[in-house]
Amino acid sequence: MSKVIAVFGAGTGLGVSVARRFGHEGFRVALVARRKDRLDALVEVLAGEGIEAVAFSADLSKPAGVPALVGAIRERFGRIDVVEYGPISGDQGFTPATELDAAILEGLTPLLLFTPVEVVRAVLPEWTERGEGAFLLAQGYSAAQPMPHLSGLGPVMSATRNYLYSLNAELADTGIYAGALTIASLIARSEVSAAAQAAFDSADGPQFPVADPDDLAEDYWNMYTKRDRVEQFHPESMTPQATA
């Protein structure tokens, strides 16, 4: 039975590129996002390339729905081997730290922290039994490098990054891998790139390059196959130690 990757937060940028990269290696693909019309269009695109993909419409800001969602994917495909988690939307913008409050953090936390934790909990028993699996997390650069005026997302993603590092260490030598791709760039063909760039510009923030999502998907594939690092920065020149 061929392997399965579940892409949580599948869209026209990174999500479909990840699906395509793993699909070309023989993976079947579960695409997960809120908008079924967009997912159906991506399924059609991938089918034209000979990649088997199925759409699963779900609101990932509701972590209570994760067990049923994972169960539906497993029922359709028989297994889940890799999870790529990286949902984001134009509704989730940066907030200056001086304006941050509990309500903003509460709004961000389910999608960016609670749901990925629940996804891991849902797939870990299968992976533990099989002695193999991989959880790949996409995060923005502010998770690792705080920046003035660009708070909100960063504090929540940094908590998830903390969890990911602990998870990676605890799963060492089990055959299960957990790794983070920390992206210090906008993503071409992504619906949220323009909104993110506007936020950087209005905050007089850093000017990030624009990454081809196919290159990011290649980073993921290398992380999955090599499993030699907890975190990969893209571009590598933005690794905090390199910029210190």
Side-chain angles (χ1 to χ4, degrees), residues 5 7 10-24 29 31 42 45-46 49 51 84 187-189 211-218 220-221:
I5 181 170
V7 180
T12 57
L14 180 57
V16 72
S17 289
V18 171
R20 180 177 289 117
R21 181 65 182 88
F22 280 74
H24 287 166
V29 181
L31 298 174
L42 296 179
V45 168
L46 293 170
E49 301 177 20
I51 298 170
E84 189 273 326
I187 301 175
R189 305 189 292 278
D212 188 322
D214 292 345
D215 293 337
L216 299 174
E218 189 65 30
Y220 263 145
W221 181 254

Side-chain angles (χ1 to χ4, degrees), residues 21-22 25 136 177 218-228:
R21 181 65 182 88
F22 280 74
E25 298 291 340
L136 305 173
Y177 171 71
E218 189 65 30
D219 285 339
Y220 263 145
W221 181 254
N222 289 333
M223 292 168 64
Y224 170 68
T225 54
K226 295 178 181 179
R227 305 184 178 210
D228 59 353

Side-chain angles (χ1 to χ4, degrees), residues 5-210:
I5 181 170
V7 180
F8 287 77
T12 57
L14 180 57
V16 72
S17 289
V18 171
R20 180 177 289 117
R21 181 65 182 88
F22 280 74
H24 287 166
E25 298 291 340
F27 279 73
R28 296 170 291 158
V29 181
L31 298 174
V32 183
R34 282 189 300 178
R35 288 172 44 186
K36 189 175 187 305
D37 58 339
R38 180 200 296 175
L39 291 175
D40 289 341
L42 296 179
V43 167
E44 186 174 346
V45 168
L46 293 170
E49 301 177 20
I51 298 170
E52 180 184 350
V54 177
F56 295 84
S57 180
D59 185 351
L60 296 176
S61 68
K62 298 181 178 179
V66 166
L69 172 61
V70 169
I73 296 171
R74 189 177 288 118
E75 181 178 357
R76 171 60 178 79
F77 287 108
R79 60 191 291 146
I80 299 172
D81 298 272
V82 179
V83 167
E84 189 273 326
Y85 192 92
I88 196 71
S89 76
D91 297 332
Q92 297 162 321
F94 291 97
T95 303
T98 55
E99 299 175 15
L100 194 61
D101 59 24
I104 292 172
L105 292 174
E106 286 175 354
L108 295 169
T109 301
L111 180 68
L112 299 178
L113 177 59
F114 296 160
T115 294
V117 169
E118 286 300 300
V119 170
V120 171
R121 283 176 54 84
V123 298
L124 198 54
E126 174 187 355
W127 292 354
T128 300
E129 181 178 354
R130 196 160 56 233
E132 202 224 348
F135 179 77
L136 305 173
L137 176 72
Q139 296 211 114
Y141 189 59
S142 62
Q145 185 65 54
M147 292 171 283
H149 308 291
L150 299 176
S151 189
L153 291 169
V156 178
M157 290 189 297
S158 67
T160 312
R161 181 175 181 257
N162 178 288
Y163 162 76
L164 192 285
Y165 266 77
S166 296
L167 185 68
N168 176 282
E170 292 173 18
L171 294 175
D173 303 321
T174 68
I176 304 169
Y177 171 71
L181 177 60
T182 301
I183 304 167
S185 63
L186 303 176
I187 301 175
R189 305 189 292 278
S190 169
E191 293 184 0
V192 302
S193 288
Q197 184 61 68
F200 299 144
D201 291 343
S202 64
D204 195 23
Q207 295 301 303
F208 288 124
V210 177

